[in-house]
């Protein structure tokens, strides 16, 4: 697919994988819409993209709030036109032992990682269906295939993202020409682990992180770019990308 001039909404663009994806797509002529809560980080990224010759729009968005997401899609339409590519990337990962009852974090994870995706789908699907085109990229995880001790709720949200991707693909691709790609990263060096507050678990998983050579956010941005730049007739359903050092 020719990406030049396409419009992409990227949630969670204020850091990590979302930020790297915004830069990668903008460098290829995509008009990128940067969505997250930290507006100052998004504005900094917009300046960087524009300095490099790209086009970007910032819409401060909390994906758990339906009215924010509605405004995100409306502002996108008004500024750049309808959304061609939706990258559902915003997510949090406060891993914890279930017995330690971090209940607020469980619910928040479901809200951001699952409900956030649903809000974005609800606002972008009508235009995509009407135009019979579009590409939805959902960021699941290796944890959306395997559960580890401490990842029960996070994995539940990422299994859900994978299930959603499968259902969307079956419904939307053959009849409506809308492609759906589920990306499943392994360990990527980002700010994601900063949401972990369970010290007992954090202490126990240090060994897992110790010998890992993490992926860079750009490695996942490259995978997303690969999936969306295929010809219309080619549908990349799933990509699992791990660091070589991760088993
Ligand atoms: P980061 O913490 O760097 O990025 C997470 C992004 O999500 C931030 O931009 C944050 O922005 C945004 N976000 C969080 N809550 C909300 C919200 N309520 N509304 C809008 N945006 C929100 O981590 P990553 O880049 O690693 O994470 C990106 C995705 O990749 C996540 O879905 C994560 O689960 C997934 N992933 C990451 C892996 C890794 O090893 N890093 C492995 C597998 C999957 P802000 O705080 O400004 O709102």
């Amino acid at each position: 697919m020719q990406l030049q001039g396409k419009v992409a909404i990227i949630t969670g663009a204020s850091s990590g994988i979302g930020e790297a994806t915004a830069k990668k797509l903008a460098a290829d002529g995509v008009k990128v819409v940067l969505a997250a809560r930290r507006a100052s980080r998004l504005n900094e990224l917009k300046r960087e993209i524009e300095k490099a010759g790209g086009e970007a729009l910032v819409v401060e968005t909390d994906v758990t709030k339906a009215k924010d997401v509605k405004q995100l899609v409306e502002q996108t339409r008004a500024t750049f036109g309808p959304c061609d590519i939706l990258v559902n990337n915003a997510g949090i990962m406060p891993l914890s032992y279930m017995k330690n009852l971090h209940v607020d974090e469980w619910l928040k994870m479901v809200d951001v990682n699952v409900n956030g995706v649903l809000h974005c789908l609800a606002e972008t699907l009508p235009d995509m269906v009407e135009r019979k085109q579009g590409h939805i990229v959902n960021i699941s995880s290796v944890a959306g295939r395997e559960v580890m001790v401490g990842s029960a709720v996070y994995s539940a949200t990422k299994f859900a993202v994978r299930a959603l991707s499968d259902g969307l693909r079956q419904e939307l691709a053959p009849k409506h020409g809308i492609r759906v790609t589920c990306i499943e990263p392994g360990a990527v060096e980002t700010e994601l682990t900063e949401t972990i507050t369970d010290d007992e678990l954090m202490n126990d998983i240090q060994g897992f992180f110790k010998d890992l050579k993490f992926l860079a956010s750009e490695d996942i941005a490259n995978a997303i770019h690969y999936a969306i730049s295929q010809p219309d007739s080619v549908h990349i359903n799933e990509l699992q990308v791990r660091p070589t050092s991760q088993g």
Side-chain angles (χ1 to χ4, degrees):
M1 177 163 96
Q2 176 62 260
L3 292 180
Q4 177 78 35
K6 296 279 177 190
V7 177
I9 293 177
I10 302 163
T11 68
S14 58
S15 59
I17 294 168
E19 179 182 347
T21 302
K23 286 184 196 165
K24 174 87 187 168
L25 301 195
D28 218 1
V30 176
K31 297 172 185 180
V32 290
V33 183
L34 314 172
R37 294 164 305 170
R38 288 172 293 175
S40 58
R41 298 270 291 252
L42 297 177
N43 283 317
E44 208 175 297
L45 176 60
K46 173 181 155 76
R47 278 192 292 276
E48 205 180 318
I49 286 170
E50 287 175 345
K51 206 170 155 199
E55 283 187 81
L57 167 72
V58 167
V59 187
E60 188 177 336
T61 309
D62 182 336
V63 293
T64 68
K65 295 185 176 151
K67 70 166 183 20
D68 277 22
V69 177
K70 189 173 171 52
Q71 192 195 28
L72 164 66
V73 176
E74 279 173 3
Q75 279 196 37
T76 300
R77 209 184 283 117
T79 310
F80 288 150
C83 173
D84 297 301
I85 301 156
L86 168 66
V87 183
N88 274 316
N89 165 74
I92 55 171
M93 189 188 71
L95 302 175
S96 65
Y97 287 121
M98 297 301 288
K99 71 176 178 67
N100 290 344
L101 297 180
H102 288 234
V103 180
D104 288 347
E105 292 178 354
W106 301 349
L107 301 180
K108 182 80 186 159
M109 243 187 303
V110 172
D111 216 14
V112 178
N113 299 1
V114 182
N115 293 343
V117 171
L118 296 177
H119 289 313
C120 291
L121 289 170
E123 289 301 329
T124 51
L125 276 179
D127 276 349
M128 288 188 181
V129 170
E130 193 189 320
R131 298 170 69 221
K132 284 199 164 291
Q133 57 168 292
H135 202 136
I136 297 162
V137 179
N138 291 329
I139 311 301
S140 176
S141 170
V142 161
R145 292 208 156 261
E146 300 159 11
V147 186
M148 293 152 281
V149 172
S151 84
V153 180
Y154 180 68
S155 283
T157 67
K158 293 301 183 181
F159 272 63
V161 170
R162 200 156 57 80
L164 276 170
S165 306
D166 227 24
L168 286 165
R169 173 181 55 76
Q170 292 174 46
E171 177 189 329
L172 298 174
K175 266 199 191 157
H176 303 283
I178 298 166
R179 290 177 290 176
V180 183
T181 301
C182 186
I183 308 273
E184 297 155 13
V188 186
E189 179 125 43
T190 67
E191 297 168 23
L192 195 68
T193 50
E194 290 174 15
T195 53
I196 302 175
T197 66
D198 187 336
D199 293 336
E200 185 188 359
L201 178 95
M202 201 54 189
N203 194 43
D204 291 352
I205 60 177
Q206 286 307 324
F208 170 76
F209 291 126
K210 195 167 59 71
D211 298 322
L212 264 184
K213 194 170 180 312
F214 287 79
L215 293 172
S217 295
E218 290 72 19
D219 297 322
I220 304 303
N222 288 342
I224 293 169
H225 181 271
Y226 167 76
I228 63 173
S229 58
Q230 296 302 310
D232 286 349
S233 55
V234 179
H235 191 177
I236 307 292
N237 304 153
E238 249 177 292
L239 283 174
Q240 194 171 122
V241 187
R242 296 172 197 246
T244 308
S245 60
Q246 185 178 359

